[in-house]
């Protein structure tokens, strides 16, 4: 994993942009679903779409929380359990072409930039379609 991550990212600070971008995408997805089903957002404070970033300097923990669509258990396994699951062939094609190799936000590897700065990553997710 180290070889992959360090070959894709030269700037360690990029992880924060990637995680915020993922959270923003999750908000976009639930916002889109809410256009046809208002119940998807819930009620009261649950309808507020936001991203919260908290830093505990003492414990050296950075938390990013969003009110987006969330992932089911199957989504977590499919999307986080396999590096660049849907983009591997596209990634290889791009490398063979010798074109722009700025891979940030491409090929499903953005989430893994967090491993540039973290030894431990915990993902907690809730999707309305999953029983949790």
């Amino acid at each position: 994993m180290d070889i992959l991550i360090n070959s894709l990212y030269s700037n360690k600070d990029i992880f924060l942009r990637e995680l915020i971008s993922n959270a923003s995408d999750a908000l976009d997805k639930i916002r889109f679903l809410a256009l046809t089903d208002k119940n998807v957002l819930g009620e009261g404070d649950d309808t507020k779409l936001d991203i919260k970033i908290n830093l505990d300097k003492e414990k050296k923990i950075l938390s990013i929380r969003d009110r987006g669509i969330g992932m089911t258990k199957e989504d977590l396994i499919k999307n986080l359990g396999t590096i660049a699951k849907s983009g591997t062939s596209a990634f290889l094609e791009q490398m063979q072409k010798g074109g722009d190799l700025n891979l940030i936000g491409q090929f499903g590897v953005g989430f893994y930039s967090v491993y540039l700065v973290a030894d431990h990553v915990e993902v907690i997710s809730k999707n309305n379609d999953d029983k949790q």
Side-chain angles (χ1 to χ4, degrees):
M1 175 94 74
D2 274 350
I3 293 170
L4 174 67
I5 297 309
N6 287 302
S7 66
L8 295 177
Y9 298 100
S10 57
N11 183 353
K12 287 186 177 193
D13 295 338
I14 201 67
F15 84 95
L16 189 56
R17 187 187 94 172
E18 292 291 337
L19 295 179
I20 292 170
S21 177
N22 289 349
S24 178
D25 290 347
L27 293 177
D28 288 343
K29 288 177 183 176
I30 202 163
R31 188 178 294 116
F32 179 75
L33 289 176
L35 293 174
T36 57
D37 181 3
K38 298 289 184 200
N39 294 325
V40 77
L41 290 177
E43 297 178 359
D45 284 344
D46 287 343
T47 63
K48 295 179 184 174
L49 299 180
D50 58 8
I51 299 170
K52 294 181 181 179
I53 302 171
N54 296 310
L55 175 64
D56 184 331
K57 287 184 180 181
E58 219 172 86
K59 294 181 181 176
K60 296 183 178 182
I61 296 174
L62 176 67
S63 300
I64 300 173
R65 182 179 182 142
D66 65 74
R67 282 272 309 125
I69 194 161
M71 290 187 277
T72 64
K73 182 177 180 179
E74 183 180 324
D75 291 337
L76 288 167
I77 293 167
K78 186 171 115 185
N79 296 315
L80 297 184
T82 306
I83 296 174
K85 64 113 190 134
S86 63
T88 304
S89 60
F91 169 74
L92 293 173
E93 285 176 22
Q94 187 72 12
M95 288 200 55
Q96 287 174 345
K97 287 180 188 174
D100 180 14
L101 292 180
N102 181 4
L103 301 173
I104 297 167
Q106 299 183 46
F107 312 116
V109 295
F111 168 78
Y112 295 97
S113 65
V114 73
Y115 289 102
L116 287 167
V117 296
D119 294 324
H120 175 81
V121 176
E122 184 175 359
V123 176
I124 301 171
S125 189
K126 168 72 174 88
N127 182 287
N128 292 341
D129 294 337
D130 209 7
K131 294 177 184 173
Q132 298 173 13

